[in-house]
Amino acid sequence: MSQRRTLKLICGLAGGSAALLLAAATADSRGYFGERRTEAGSRWSKLSVLQAAQPAWAATSITPVPTGHAWDVNWDKRDPSTLSNGKKKGSTTEDPRSEQDNGKPKATRNILLIRHSQYNLSGSSDKEHILTPLGREQAELTGHRLSSLGLKYDVLIHSSMTRATETAHIISKHLPGVELLSCDLLQEGAPIEPVPPVTHWKPDAVQYHEDGARIEAAFRRYIHRADPKQKEDSYEIIVCHANVIRYFVCRALQFPPEGWLRMGLHNGSITWLTIRPSGRVALRTLGDAGFMPPDKLTRT
């Protein structure tokens, strides 16, 4: 086999720029490209081969560009420094530092957002949108998962729509002693016109106007930092709907809310938001359904 055919074989087996560099450098050192050259004068120096093997790029082409939107520390209007200068009205405490510390949140809120299970899509009214047999299985699996986490849950709040109510009641069987509450604000709806737009779902402007205000009100009621009176970390479960959950996530992370439809959630999945005393928000999980067998997964 000739020397050049040997080099082609080596390069063909290499399949990458790093391997190509090694093959070419080895070939050069053994004189496969002709007569040997001095190290200083060789056109096939390691630097030259490395430069030839790398794709052309500019630093500005890959550097992320900041959006210019700073984090709003008072996004929930509960920043202690903005509330009467950190002081409680009517307080008689002489030490202002102690008074200010007492007005600061100390606990972390953990909010677990659960999407309802699969339901009967052929129903003409909400009362007919009951869970399917598979949906009931999904709720059981979600309830078992929440129980297995070993957390001390404070409350289980659910949308008043039938599919969410049934899902919550099945989950509650796995969490004895946890208070169960219903809320109309958490009903499904159209929070804000999505960007980019979609063709398969086009609510009218009135629906966005009415649903958007209601879902935003639900966000302000349930998604915020802890009250200063709360001493221990809390774990709250909210069973509701995909549109509501996705909007909550965008708002809590201060992402553009119109991007809510870019995410997808499985039925019975768990989305976990953590809100620190400082107001910082973290998304621990988004639509976690890994605890379900593959044949139980749906997104209806």
Side-chain angles (χ1 to χ4, degrees):
M1 182 180 293
S2 68
Q3 294 176 338
R4 291 191 178 277
R5 289 184 64 187
T6 301
L7 176 59
K8 290 181 179 179
L9 177 61
I10 293 174
C11 293
L13 294 174
S17 60
L20 176 61
L21 168 63
L22 177 61
T26 303
D28 181 46
S29 67
R30 296 179 180 179
Y32 285 1
F33 297 115
E35 63 175 307
R36 293 180 178 270
R37 297 176 174 82
T38 63
E39 182 175 354
S42 175
R43 292 188 301 110
W44 284 90
S45 66
K46 293 181 180 180
L47 179 60
S48 299
V49 175
L50 178 61
Q51 291 174 338
Q54 299 302 316
W57 62 279
T60 56
S61 65
I62 64 171
T63 303
V65 179
T67 62
H69 300 292
W71 176 262
D72 179 8
V73 297
N74 194 31
W75 59 274
D76 59 351
K77 310 307 178 189
R78 287 173 167 81
D79 182 8
S81 64
T82 65
L83 301 175
S84 301
N85 295 323
K87 299 180 181 180
K88 295 181 180 179
K89 294 181 180 180
S91 175
T92 58
T93 305
E94 294 182 0
D95 187 351
R97 291 175 299 178
S98 174
E99 194 168 325
Q100 187 171 12
D101 288 341
N102 290 335
K104 291 183 177 180
K106 301 175 180 61
T108 294
R109 295 185 68 217
N110 294 274
I111 303 170
L112 288 83
L113 302 163
I114 314 298
R115 188 190 177 194
H116 62 77
S117 301
Q118 185 190 66
Y119 68 99
N120 173 32
L121 291 171
S122 61
S124 58
S125 66
D126 178 63
K127 291 183 178 180
E128 296 176 344
H129 288 164
I130 60 176
L131 298 185
T132 64
L134 174 56
R136 300 186 71 84
E137 288 185 61
Q138 292 170 338
E140 293 283 359
L141 290 167
T142 303
H144 182 268
R145 172 60 174 171
L146 291 170
S147 176
S148 69
L149 293 177
L151 302 173
K152 183 182 177 182
Y153 299 107
D154 296 88
V155 66
L156 197 168
I157 307 166
H158 63 84
S159 158
S160 56
M161 299 186 82
T162 300
R163 54 190 183 271
T165 300
E166 289 188 346
T167 301
H169 279 269
I170 293 174
I171 290 175
S172 69
K173 294 190 301 181
H174 296 266
L175 307 173
V178 178
E179 184 179 12
L180 194 63
L181 301 174
S182 177
C183 179
D184 292 336
L185 293 177
L186 293 168
Q187 291 187 6
E188 183 63 302
I192 187 174
E193 189 169 0
V195 176
V198 293
T199 58
H200 64 277
W201 185 71
K202 287 189 174 182
D204 55 33
V206 174
Q207 185 175 354
Y208 281 123
H209 180 71
E210 295 178 350
D211 290 353
R214 172 178 54 78
I215 296 172
E216 173 64 21
F219 173 82
R220 298 186 185 191
R221 172 177 292 187
Y222 296 114
I223 313 298
H224 56 78
R225 75 191 78 188
D227 186 273
K229 296 179 181 179
Q230 182 177 325
K231 303 302 180 184
E232 298 180 355
D233 294 350
S234 60
Y235 296 87
E236 305 159 46
I237 302 171
I238 298 178
V239 180
C240 53
H241 310 269
N243 295 0
V244 177
I245 294 172
R246 292 180 286 186
Y247 178 79
F248 279 10
V249 168
C250 287
R251 285 281 285 108
L253 297 179
Q254 299 188 24
F255 292 164
E258 63 271 16
W260 64 272
L261 198 52
R262 303 170 199 173
M263 297 177 277
L265 302 174
H266 284 102
N267 294 111
S269 62
I270 301 173
T271 296
W272 188 336
L273 286 171
T274 296
I275 307 176
R276 301 295 182 188
S278 64
R280 295 190 65 173
V281 180
L283 179 64
R284 295 189 60 172
T285 62
L286 174 67
D288 176 26
F291 52 87
M292 292 190 186
D295 62 338
K296 303 298 182 184
L297 294 173
T298 60
R299 293 173 62 180
T300 56

